[in-house]
Amino acid sequence: MAEAAAALGQFDFAGDDHVVPFQVEGLDVRGRAVQLGPMLDAILERHHYPAPVARLLAEVVVLTVLLGTSLKFDGKFTVQTKGDGPVDLLVADFSTPENVRAYARFDRALLDQAIASGETEPEQLLGKGVLAFTIDQGKFAQPYQGIVALDGTSLEEIAGVYFRQSEQIPTRVRLAAAELFDRDDAGKPRHRWRAGGLVAQFLPEAPERMRQPDLHGGDGDTGDRPHGEDDAWTEARSLVETIDADELTDPLVGTERLLFRLFHERGVRVFEPRAVFDRCSCSREKIGNVLKGFTAEEIEASQENGEISVTCEFCSTTYRFEAAELQPAE
């Protein structure tokens, strides 16, 4: 069944933690946009990440949500960075139809040095490495993974390279995260995290219109480009690039309102929003099954006072097992 479209003013605003699909027929553009509030705040505050780390992970969560909600099958979409910078690992995954989890790993000493020296831009914190996009459709299909280099550019630019290399679809991604300091209804100081993002893709009926300028060939490349991009995509991309980071995170600028600001002259339509939730896939049963695969020696080495404790890196839930539970049956 086709998704029902609505014009601005004919629906309730989606609000936070809802992905809004949209279409701009006049520019042959489709995409999704989102603002994350309470869901993201719960993920970040659970680990008490330093602000630069929280901001990075927030962008990864937005990217994961934007791309994961496009899956048309039951499965999992994962975005993961591995680099040699102070923040050496970021990972977020989206399990259909609506569950999100994420965590970050960082070197405290290196992070403190980076903060002291003012080197807190995303590319400085991540360093050199890779950004991997993994699609897992379950046990009946091989996972697909696309990998692009962390090359000193922003996450949104790297995501654009991924789409160009893997899907060859003209794509523009925008990401932003922000801290909010205000007061709650009782007048007490409050700290919150918000983030937002948008992905726009050029999908004309005629495939030849999806041409893009050739990538630079490196040393010796004269820069001559025989093929330019379609005028409609040039306009759409230029409009997306006018988005200010504050617009993506401002609670007073809803997702639909932002889309209207961008594309109203070209007839933007929005579709039914999709809610996303902070839900981990860990369970006592899953972790117990992993531990039951340990040898007797490994179980002995892992226990303390006859008990083995395992804490999920994503949701910080701790599961405790008596060593006797894990011993193989005689």
Side-chain angles (χ1 to χ4, degrees):
M1 181 180 295
E3 295 177 284
L8 191 69
Q10 295 178 333
F11 52 85
D12 293 328
F13 287 117
D16 288 343
D17 304 335
H18 287 76
V19 179
V20 179
F22 68 89
Q23 179 179 354
V24 188
E25 293 182 349
L27 297 174
D28 292 315
V29 164
R30 283 184 172 269
R32 289 170 301 284
V34 70
Q35 285 189 338
L36 299 180
M39 184 274 284
L40 176 69
D41 203 42
I43 290 174
L44 299 181
E45 292 301 321
R46 181 182 298 129
H47 296 277
H48 304 290
Y49 292 121
V53 179
R55 184 171 284 104
L56 266 178
L57 187 58
E59 289 194 5
V60 171
V61 171
V62 172
L63 181 60
T64 303
V65 166
L66 286 172
L67 304 187
T69 50
S70 69
L71 296 181
K72 305 300 183 185
F73 49 81
D74 290 336
K76 179 183 291 186
F77 178 78
T78 303
V79 176
Q80 179 174 317
T81 71
K82 286 187 177 180
D84 61 5
V87 183
D88 65 322
L89 179 69
L90 297 168
V91 59
D93 64 47
F94 176 88
S95 297
T96 57
E98 59 194 13
N99 299 335
V100 183
R101 62 179 191 168
Y103 81 94
R105 187 177 68 199
F106 61 97
D107 185 300
R108 172 66 72 173
L110 291 179
L111 180 65
D112 288 344
Q113 291 176 16
I115 293 173
S117 60
E119 297 177 348
T120 57
E121 291 300 316
E123 56 271 22
Q124 295 171 320
L125 294 177
L126 294 173
K128 300 295 183 181
V130 296
L131 175 62
F133 299 82
T134 305
I135 298 174
D136 187 350
Q137 299 184 54
K139 60 183 179 181
F140 299 111
Q142 284 290 108
Y144 166 80
Q145 187 172 73
I147 297 177
V148 290
L150 293 173
D151 59 359
T153 54
S154 68
L155 286 174
E156 60 184 34
E157 291 173 313
I158 294 170
V161 172
Y162 162 74
F163 277 103
R164 182 164 186 168
Q165 292 180 346
S166 65
E167 299 188 18
Q168 299 182 343
I169 298 174
T171 303
R172 185 67 171 97
V173 178
R174 297 300 310 274
L175 307 170
E179 289 181 276
L180 294 187
F181 297 90
D182 58 10
R183 294 184 181 275
D184 62 19
D185 294 338
K188 295 181 179 180
R190 177 175 57 179
H191 167 261
R192 293 181 293 159
W193 280 99
R194 292 183 61 79
L198 178 147
V199 57
Q201 295 187 301
F202 185 50
L203 296 167
E205 291 186 7
E208 63 271 15
R209 292 182 59 205
M210 295 171 63
R211 66 185 186 277
Q212 299 179 79
D214 296 336
L215 292 171
H216 196 279
D219 293 342
D221 190 334
T222 63
D224 296 333
R225 301 289 180 265
H227 300 296
E229 64 185 13
D230 189 274
D231 289 345
W233 175 239
T234 298
E235 180 180 344
R237 178 176 52 77
S238 298
L239 289 171
V240 171
E241 290 170 356
T242 67
I243 301 173
D244 188 84
D246 291 343
E247 292 181 285
L248 290 171
T249 59
D250 190 340
L252 301 180
V253 181
T255 301
E256 294 90 346
R257 190 172 300 281
L258 174 60
L259 292 171
F260 182 75
R261 286 183 182 179
L262 286 175
F263 300 118
H264 67 279
E265 292 184 354
R266 288 296 196 161
V268 62
R269 295 194 297 165
V270 298
F271 299 86
E272 191 70 24
R274 293 184 56 182
V276 291
F277 300 91
D278 164 33
R279 290 177 183 158
C280 190
S281 59
C282 72
S283 70
R284 180 179 175 82
E285 180 183 6
K286 289 181 180 179
I287 294 175
N289 288 336
V290 172
L291 293 176
K292 287 176 181 178
F294 282 20
T295 64
E297 292 78 12
E298 290 171 329
I299 291 175
E300 178 67 27
S302 301
Q303 65 178 286
E304 184 176 347
N305 299 323
E307 183 180 80
I308 296 177
S309 296
V310 179
T311 300
C312 176
E313 293 179 304
F314 287 95
C315 68
S316 298
T317 300
T318 298
Y319 299 91
R320 293 181 171 84
F321 300 85
E322 297 292 330
E325 296 179 64
L326 307 173
Q327 297 295 337
E330 295 292 339

